Amino acid sequence: MTKDAIPRLRYEALDPALQAFLKPTVDRLGYLGEFFQVAGHVDGAVPAFMQYTGAVKTPLADAHNEILALTVCRMLEADYEMIQHERLSRRLGFTLEWIAAAEGRDGSHPSSLGDDERALQALAQAAIASHGLRCGPELQMVVSLLGHQRAVAAMMQIARFAGIAMMCNAFALELPVPSVFDEVPNP
């Protein structure tokens, strides 16, 4: 797809209510993400999407949400969302080793992850690889470790991140910031 097939909305072109809704995010990031520049074309979708995001994220710990995001986005080659979650993971205090293991990068070591994190990663990998089929053992392990409510939230997050990944890839979204693995350290 060519990037000009769907125009990117500037912040000033968004509906005033959506501008107000996104202002904290834009202030925190320092830019209006291209995802919102595209999604802003559908009235009411962004606030509804963010409300859903909050609901499925709440039962899970930050590490659980980030392991799911990084695993799914890496598997689906969704650099836009993966880089956003790498950067969020750093702000949350996770090490580069943890992020690399969460993404399953070559040379990373799963021992950087806790048992619950490895179980969630295995569930995400199985669900994505099999389109949600044949992931019963991995789902049962998550239920055993985290309970059924968190297992359901995890599956909802996996589906959410898969949807985001597909949209990011289809719309050829790009970030104005690099991967944490591509940043040059300050001397």
Side-chain angles (χ1 to χ4, degrees), residues 48-97:
F49 181 77
M50 299 299 279
Q51 182 178 12
Y52 175 79
T53 297
V56 298
K57 181 179 177 179
T58 297
L60 301 169
D62 287 339
H64 297 159
N65 282 300
E66 295 313 305
I67 193 89
L68 295 170
L70 293 168
T71 300
V72 170
C73 291
R74 178 74 172 197
M75 287 185 75
L76 296 177
E77 301 176 45
D79 290 346
Y80 179 93
E81 188 71 1
M82 187 174 66
I83 290 169
Q84 298 243 75
H85 280 278
E86 287 175 356
R87 298 175 79 78
L88 175 56
S89 293
R90 290 297 286 163
R91 282 194 306 276
L92 292 170
F94 296 108
T95 65
L96 287 175
E97 293 78 18

Side-chain angles (χ1 to χ4, degrees), residues 41 72 75 91 105 109 113 143 159 162-163 171 173 177:
H41 286 288
V72 170
M75 287 185 75
R91 282 194 306 276
R105 284 181 173 256
H109 202 281
L113 306 174
V143 170
F171 297 138
L173 302 184
V177 294

